[in-house]
Amino acid sequence: MDDLMGHRVYGADHDDPGPRPGRTYRELVAGPLDGLLLDVTGWNERQLGESVALDTEIGAHGAGGRSVYRPRAGSTWYWDWSGDTP
C-alpha cells in the first residue's frame, strides 16, 4: 500500500483522493488520466481482461467524452490508453 501513496484514484473525491486499504487498483498509463489509479475491487476475470471507457472532461471530446483504457499485455498492473471516444 505504501507504494500507492501519492497516487490519486480515478473518480475519488478531491478532499480524499488517495487509495484505501483493502481495495484493488490498476494504474492508468498515458492519455488524459495518466497516473491515476482505477479501483477494480470486486471485478471478475472477464472484466479485468476487457477495456473500459472512463468519463473525463479532459479528453479529446471534452465534457461528456470518455477515455478508453485496456489491460497491458503481460501485465496485471498497467492499463494503457487506447484513445478517446465521444
Side-chain angles (χ1 to χ4, degrees), residues 52-66:
V52 61
L54 303 170
D55 293 338
T56 183
E57 296 180 0
I58 58 175
H61 300 282
R66 295 185 279 170

Side-chain angles (χ1 to χ4, degrees), residues 1-74:
M1 187 69 177
D2 289 338
D3 60 329
L4 298 181
M5 298 315 292
H7 281 81
R8 292 184 46 134
V9 177
Y10 168 80
D13 189 325
H14 287 281
D15 294 334
D16 187 18
R20 299 200 175 269
R23 308 293 293 182
T24 304
Y25 299 97
R26 299 297 185 262
E27 185 174 347
L28 303 175
V29 178
L33 304 176
D34 183 50
L36 292 179
L37 298 176
L38 178 63
D39 187 341
V40 296
T41 304
W43 290 25
N44 63 40
E45 289 300 315
R46 181 187 56 77
Q47 291 169 308
L48 290 171
E50 296 177 345
S51 62
V52 61
L54 303 170
D55 293 338
T56 183
E57 296 180 0
I58 58 175
H61 300 282
R66 295 185 279 170
S67 288
V68 179
Y69 286 83
R70 65 182 54 162
R72 180 181 292 180

